[in-house]
Amino acid sequence: MDEDIVKLLRERDQKSIELIAERYERLLRYIAVTILRDRETEVEECINDVYMKVWTHGATFDLEKASFRTWLKAITRNTALNYLRKAVRRETFEESGEEPLGSGDMDESGNPERRMIFQEEVQALGRVLNDLKKKDRELVLRRFYYLQSTRQIAEAMGMSENAVDSKLSRLKKKLRKRYERESRHRISSVVPEDGNRR
């Protein structure tokens, strides 16, 4: 049970990591490989980094707020995306012969104002996604959340690759319009028409 793992994490018992590896490593590796593809070094570093983050922050995890599995998936996804950004940036600069200017990690925890904006953006995007039909939402999440290829999506959802590309193109336009409406609504709720904040 996940309660056992959380209890061991709070007790700083190394067995917690062993249990996580036993129960969830296949899932964590699937997410990492889906995002990082054939970058084997980055995949291994990502998985190790996930275990380190879980060990560091696991004692504060609250099972009443989210499932442990969901928390692990979120950590793995975010960690893998950071590794992907670094890898793509490094590969791009290696080809051009230029030096990269920093890692570009998405860390919304440092600046309170940035964290608030980030959280508002996530909530707005969540509302937009929730308005989609179940199949459309799955398409969007597979492509832009898990970064699956058109072929992977087509095989998983029983569609042709052309149908996937066509549907995603229409969904992107639809999402952009809805998201822009969300953004305008959010701004108008903070700044009235006379330009003075409420």
Side-chain angles (χ1 to χ4, degrees), residues 128-144 148 152-168 170-172 174-175:
V128 170
L129 288 176
N130 285 336
D131 286 339
L132 295 177
K133 295 178 182 177
K134 184 178 179 180
K135 188 172 182 178
D136 291 347
R137 184 164 60 248
E138 182 180 350
L139 269 170
V140 171
L141 290 175
R142 283 182 178 276
R143 184 67 186 94
F144 302 110
Q148 292 184 344
Q152 287 176 312
I153 296 170
E155 290 176 355
M157 299 187 67
M159 301 170 64
S160 70
E161 292 184 36
N162 286 338
V164 170
D165 286 335
S166 177
K167 186 69 173 178
L168 282 171
R170 292 196 299 271
L171 283 171
K172 279 195 291 185
K174 186 177 183 179
L175 285 169

Side-chain angles (χ1 to χ4, degrees), residues 31-48:
I31 295 171
V33 170
T34 298
I35 293 173
L36 292 163
R37 307 295 171 85
D38 57 353
R39 299 177 177 87
E40 295 180 7
T41 300
E42 280 80 6
V43 169
E44 295 305 321
E45 291 177 355
C46 173
I47 297 296
N48 290 334

Side-chain angles (χ1 to χ4, degrees), residues 5 9 28 35 45 48 65 77 123 128 137 144-145 149 153 163 169 172 187:
I5 295 176
L9 282 170
L28 306 187
I35 293 173
E45 291 177 355
N48 290 334
K65 292 183 178 179
R77 174 189 171 272
Q123 290 169 3
V128 170
R137 184 164 60 248
F144 302 110
Y145 189 88
S149 67
I153 296 170
S169 178
K172 279 195 291 185
I187 292 171

